Amino acid sequence: MPEEILQTHKLHDRCEKALAERFTVHKLHTAADKDALIKEIGGRVRAVAGGNVNGELMDKLPKLEIIANFGVGYDSIDTKAAKARNIRVTNTPNVLNDAVAELTIGMMIALARRIPQADQFVRQGKWAKVGYRLQSELTGKTVGILGLGRIGKEIANRAQAMKMRVVYHGRKKQADEPYVFYDNLTDMARDSDWLVIIAPGGKGTEKIVSREVLEALGPEGYLVNVARGTLIDEAAMLEMLKNWKIAGAALDVFEKEPAMDPAFWELDNVVLSPHQGSATHQTRDKMGDLVVANLVAHFDGEPLISAVV
Ligand code: NAP
Ligand code: 8YV
């Protein structure tokens, strides 16, 4: 008999197909009555595919052995509660590093050169009447990376290709990295032209990019967030963008998604993106494969490929 698993949200098509070939899959996100579904099958579920799992849901799945998250960031899973219940948790690291790093550099250039606005300028027939205003560039600027991890290092590589100087902040200095380390985020922001956020979300990093950090970045400084909306004091950022207390922001993630604050839509000094850092065919294929491979390894009694708990 195939093991019964619970899928908590929409997954990549190839991943859903592979899961259905191996397991009996119950889809929580499409159930008309979620409580009724859990009541009916909860006692038989041995795995969850996807995120959004708290201790309350775990308690309704007494045979749960493993949660395989679709994504490297697992802040939507209560890992403490999972550990306490002896439930394993896996994520999808590394396979998405390049896609996220590419989008980061793309958004930085888009913001510096106002590419979305330039496209509108041409489409609206304004070019023949007046030249486009001059913009800034990345070359020669300092980028401070908050979170020089797997993705942060790929962003650093690409920033160097843009002839930028790279510095970083984290909880500890990485002896093998050639970049200047700051043990204080505010100091790094003060010395940076661009501040790129790519550290994990969750309680430990909540609002660490505070008003004080943004003030240190200053009116000439640009902010990029490709991590999680929770890392920034969003209300402070919005007020400072409106009043040009920071020069601009390129944002792939927000405090609330997808129901983001519409105040962002009015701003000229932002580039907005719908949480699409990993959203390419090739990367989503690899992420889905890793979700399935972790579940199969677990039920075949093999070591997990990418366990976080
Ligand atoms: P990672 O390899 O674990 O790197 C995280 C980095 O953050 C590490 O260098 C770590 O350094 C630093 N860090 C952790 N806690 C910190 C804290 N409290 N203060 C300062 N620095 C801290 O993770 P990754 O694979 O690069 O992924 C990073 C995050 O990107 C994910 O967790 C996810 O939320 C986000 N992400 C977003 C997208 C998207 O679509 N936009 C896609 C993929 C991932 P220390 O240990 O030295 O502090
Ligand atoms: C995904 C991400 O968009 O991996 C992460 O942490 O944020 C993204 O790759 C997300 O996890 C898919 O729902």
Side-chain angles (χ1 to χ4, degrees), residues 103 106-117 223-225 241 248-254 264 267-274:
L103 184 77
M107 288 176 68
M108 288 169 72
I109 298 173
L111 178 60
R113 302 296 290 269
R114 295 292 198 275
I115 292 175
Q117 292 93 329
L223 182 68
V224 182
N225 191 4
L241 282 166
L251 305 168
D252 185 46
V253 288
F254 304 86
F264 283 107
L267 302 177
D268 179 58
N269 52 352
V270 294
V271 169
L272 306 173
S273 167

Side-chain angles (χ1 to χ4, degrees), residues 71-75 93-94 96-97 100 103 146-153 169-174 181 197-201 204-205 208 225-228 231 252-253 275-279 284:
V72 68
Y74 48 88
D75 45 314
N94 293 317
L96 40 58
N97 297 350
V100 181
L103 184 77
L146 164 53
L148 191 73
R150 291 168 294 230
I151 301 170
K153 289 185 177 81
H169 167 73
R171 290 165 300 181
K172 54 191 180 302
K173 183 175 162 62
Q174 301 181 45
F181 170 72
I197 306 171
I198 187 62
T205 55
I208 60 172
N225 191 4
V226 283
R228 289 288 183 266
L231 281 98
D252 185 46
V253 288
H275 196 152
Q276 55 150 340
S278 67
R284 288 287 166 90

Side-chain angles (χ1 to χ4, degrees), residues 66 88 90 293-307:
I66 180 167
R88 307 298 309 274
T90 63
N294 272 304
L295 290 173
V296 170
H298 173 76
F299 288 114
D300 286 354
E302 302 288 341
L304 297 178
I305 298 144
S306 46

Side-chain angles (χ1 to χ4, degrees), residues 25 45 47-48 57-58 74 97 102 109 128 139 157 162 177 187 217 221 261 277 287:
V25 182
V45 167
V48 165
L57 178 56
M58 292 175 206
Y74 48 88
N97 297 350
E102 264 185 30
I109 298 173
T139 301
N157 286 340
M162 294 293 128
E177 293 305 326
D187 289 345
L217 186 62
D261 189 333
M287 289 166 68

